[in-house]
Amino acid sequence: MADDERTAWFYNVSTGEVEHGPQSLGRRLMGPYETREDAARALETARERTQAWDEEERAEDA
């Protein structure tokens, strides 16, 4: 594991908790993130990105 990954923040989708460094199995984690706040917003950020990609696809198909 790289040093920067040990100091990064992760969002655990199983527990809904933010972890400092990967403390759980990788398939349960979103990240790495630079800050605790970014990790806490992981689901919201993913939702926003998905919506933006969907809008881009609709625009391309029009």
Side-chain angles (χ1 to χ4, degrees), residues 33-47:
Y33 296 93
E34 291 185 22
T35 67
R36 178 178 185 77
E37 292 77 21
D38 288 344
R41 290 189 70 243
L43 293 178
E44 184 179 345
T45 300
R47 189 176 309 113

Side-chain angles (χ1 to χ4, degrees), residues 11-24:
Y11 178 79
N12 185 316
V13 296
S14 295
T15 65
E17 299 293 325
V18 173
E19 301 178 3
H20 192 222
Q23 300 171 18
S24 303

Side-chain angles (χ1 to χ4, degrees):
M1 175 182 335
D3 285 339
D4 59 332
E5 192 171 279
R6 284 188 215 132
T7 61
W9 295 91
F10 295 83
Y11 178 79
N12 185 316
V13 296
S14 295
T15 65
E17 299 293 325
V18 173
E19 301 178 3
H20 192 222
Q23 300 171 18
S24 303
L25 295 175
R27 67 178 178 264
R28 296 182 181 155
L29 300 178
M30 294 176 73
Y33 296 93
E34 291 185 22
T35 67
R36 178 178 185 77
E37 292 77 21
D38 288 344
R41 290 189 70 243
L43 293 178
E44 184 179 345
T45 300
R47 189 176 309 113
E48 290 169 356
R49 289 178 180 164
T50 299
Q51 288 174 345
W53 292 330
D54 288 346
E55 290 172 14
E56 286 177 23
E57 282 186 22
R58 280 192 290 275
E60 289 174 3
D61 290 342

